[in-house]
Amino acid sequence: MTATERDVLQALTDLEHSVKSMPAANPKPNLLPLFARIDELTRQLPKDTDPTLLHYLTRKSYEKARAWLEGREAENQAGSCRTSG
């Protein structure tokens, strides 16, 4: 895993924790900076980054991207934009 991929994973983990804290949090956390951070890190990934990871990140499939980065790709179900074969 590259340093940028580790940063993406950390940002995705931070996002998940923020979302899980929302029902109890008052005021609600501002998630826009987290989304902007993930977008910026996605742009910083090298050209040879696995296309599956790039697909998840550009489609905002953050749970799938996190599973991929954690080595749990088998848990990801094919979505409607995946082709078979």
Side-chain angles (χ1 to χ4, degrees), residues 7-85:
D7 291 343
V8 169
L9 178 56
Q10 183 60 54
L12 292 171
T13 302
D14 292 347
L15 175 63
E16 180 181 359
H17 286 102
S18 293
V19 169
K20 284 184 177 181
S21 74
M22 286 180 77
N26 194 9
K28 302 293 185 208
N30 180 3
L31 301 179
L32 291 178
L34 289 169
F35 291 128
R37 173 85 173 131
I38 294 167
D39 288 343
E40 177 59 31
L41 289 167
T42 299
R43 285 189 292 275
Q44 292 177 20
L45 288 167
K47 298 282 187 215
D48 62 345
T49 298
D50 187 286
T52 301
L53 177 58
L54 290 174
H55 174 81
Y56 292 154
L57 291 170
T58 58
R59 297 287 184 180
K60 312 295 189 214
S61 298
Y62 296 139
E63 287 183 44
K64 288 183 177 185
R66 184 170 177 209
W68 190 96
L69 286 164
E70 292 176 338
R72 299 181 296 114
E73 173 64 9
E75 296 176 19
N76 288 335
Q77 295 184 8
S80 61
C81 51
R82 269 199 175 164
T83 58
S84 60

